[in-house]
Amino acid sequence: MPFRFALFCLFAALSLHVGAARAGASLYVDDAATVERGRCQLESWLRTAAPARELTLAPACNLAGTEFGLSHSDYAAPHAPAAQALSAKRTLHASAHGWALAASLGANWNGARYDGWNFNLPLTLGPDPNGPRLWHFNLGWNQPRRGRARLTGGVGLEQALAADWTALAELYADPHGDLGGQLGLRRAFGADASLDLLLGDRARDPRGPWLTLGFNLALR
C-alpha cells in the first residue's frame, strides 16, 4: 500500500469516532439518505478485476444538514494515477410515507489533475424508510474535463433477507451504451458496521467481471 494512502487512512481513523450507522459504500447507485447531523461515516472497499486492483477510502461528515465527502482511490496491477473526489449531498425531502429525494454535486481529480464534475438526484422509495425493501433511482449528469458530457441513470434494490443480511442489486447506464451492474450481499455487525460482497460487470469494461469487498463503519 503506498505511503500516502496509509497516511490518509491513519488520519481519517484518528479524526473520527465511532457512532451510529448508515449504509452506502461501493454501490454505484446512491440512496437519498445522508449521515445524521454532526456525525460521520467511513466507507472503504477493495475491488479486483484481473489484472487490476482498486483500493478506496471515503470518509464523509454531515455539517449543517449537508453531507461532505472525500474519497481517495489507489490503483495497482497495472499501475494508474491515484484519484480523488470531493462531494456535497443534501436531502431535499424525506417523507414519513416512505420516499426521499436528495441532490449531490461532486468534482474529481486524476493524478492531481482536475478531471470533471458530476451532479446526481437520488430518489429512494419504500413503504417504510426503515422497512425490509428499498428502491433507489438515480438521474444525473457527468461532465468530464475532456470528452462528451453524458446523462446518467440507475436503479438499485436493498432487500432484507434476515436480521443481519441484506441482498443488494443495481443497474446503471448512460445514453452512449455504457451499461453495468452489481449483485451481492451485505452483512451487518450491530448498528455501526457492515461488510459488503459484490460481483459486478460493465459492458465497456475490457477487464471483465470484478469482485468488491466493502467495509462500512459509522462515525461521529
Side-chain angles (χ1 to χ4, degrees):
M1 180 187 298
F3 174 75
R4 65 180 184 278
F5 187 66
L7 186 63
F8 183 84
C9 291
L10 179 62
F11 172 78
L14 292 177
S15 63
L16 302 172
H17 304 283
V18 175
R22 191 185 79 84
S26 54
L27 296 169
Y28 288 95
V29 177
D30 199 6
D31 59 22
T34 57
V35 186
E36 294 181 35
R37 282 176 178 259
R39 296 189 175 182
C40 301
Q41 67 181 11
L42 178 61
E43 300 173 341
S44 59
W45 57 89
L46 174 65
R47 181 173 288 127
T48 61
R53 185 173 70 249
E54 170 197 341
L55 183 60
T56 295
L57 183 73
C61 295
N62 188 318
L63 303 174
T66 299
E67 179 184 294
F68 295 95
L70 165 69
S71 71
H72 178 99
S73 299
D74 267 328
Y75 302 91
H79 176 73
Q84 297 82 32
L86 289 173
S87 64
K89 178 183 175 184
R90 190 176 183 92
T91 299
L92 304 178
H93 181 82
S95 169
H97 301 292
W99 70 276
L101 177 67
S104 65
L105 182 66
N108 309 309
W109 285 262
N110 191 357
R113 174 178 292 183
Y114 172 71
D115 200 39
W117 62 272
N118 57 82
F119 176 76
N120 192 37
L121 290 171
L123 172 67
T124 294
L125 300 176
D128 178 355
N130 299 309
R133 179 180 299 167
L134 292 175
W135 290 93
H136 309 299
F137 300 90
N138 286 191
L139 182 63
W141 184 260
N142 188 349
Q143 177 66 65
R145 184 174 64 91
R146 294 180 179 177
R148 295 182 297 177
R150 62 185 188 272
L151 188 70
T152 59
V155 56
L157 171 65
E158 294 182 53
Q159 174 64 57
L161 302 177
D164 297 322
W165 290 92
T166 301
L168 305 172
E170 63 177 359
L171 288 172
Y172 53 92
D174 67 32
H176 305 308
D178 191 4
L179 174 66
Q182 292 193 114
L183 179 66
L185 293 171
R186 172 170 294 158
R187 172 68 159 88
F189 297 92
D192 298 326
S194 64
L195 191 69
D196 295 347
L197 183 62
L198 299 161
L199 180 64
D201 200 3
R202 196 172 73 189
R204 292 187 176 181
D205 193 339
R207 299 171 298 178
W210 64 78
L211 185 67
T212 300
L213 178 64
F215 179 66
N216 319 306
L217 182 63
L219 307 156
R220 61 177 162 185

